[in-house]
Amino acid sequence: MHTVTRDLTASGASPGALPLLRKASRARKTGFTLVELLVVLMIIGMLTAMVSFAMFRSMQAAREAKTQALISKLHNVLVRHWDTFETG
């Protein structure tokens, strides 16, 4: 027996009140409202935007690091070439 049923029968309530309580508890729906779903979707969208922006920045930083490394290698090659074939 449910606690509500036990409380009502112990307090001397009429048995006719029990179906009304059960009907009222069934009327309450479980689930999410449209507003709650929209809020969750908005939060997911914001997190996705932040992650994609961070990924873009890290990819840009990687490209710049690669370019700097290539420029440094080119500099070293040119310095060695000039040291080897100096036309003084």
Side-chain angles (χ1 to χ4, degrees), residues 58-73:
S58 65
M59 287 171 49
Q60 183 67 27
R63 270 190 233 111
E64 290 174 6
K66 183 178 178 181
T67 303
Q68 288 291 78
L70 290 175
I71 289 173
S72 177
K73 285 181 182 180

Side-chain angles (χ1 to χ4, degrees), residues 19-73:
L20 293 177
L21 288 175
R22 288 189 187 134
K23 200 179 278 187
S25 66
R26 282 190 211 142
R28 183 179 174 121
K29 294 181 181 178
T30 58
F32 298 107
T33 64
L34 181 61
V35 174
E36 290 171 335
L37 291 174
L38 290 175
V39 168
V40 169
L41 288 175
M42 184 180 65
I43 291 171
I44 290 172
M46 290 175 71
L47 290 174
T48 304
M50 289 189 314
V51 167
S52 63
F53 183 70
M55 290 291 294
F56 173 74
R57 287 184 65 185
S58 65
M59 287 171 49
Q60 183 67 27
R63 270 190 233 111
E64 290 174 6
K66 183 178 178 181
T67 303
Q68 288 291 78
L70 290 175
I71 289 173
S72 177
K73 285 181 182 180

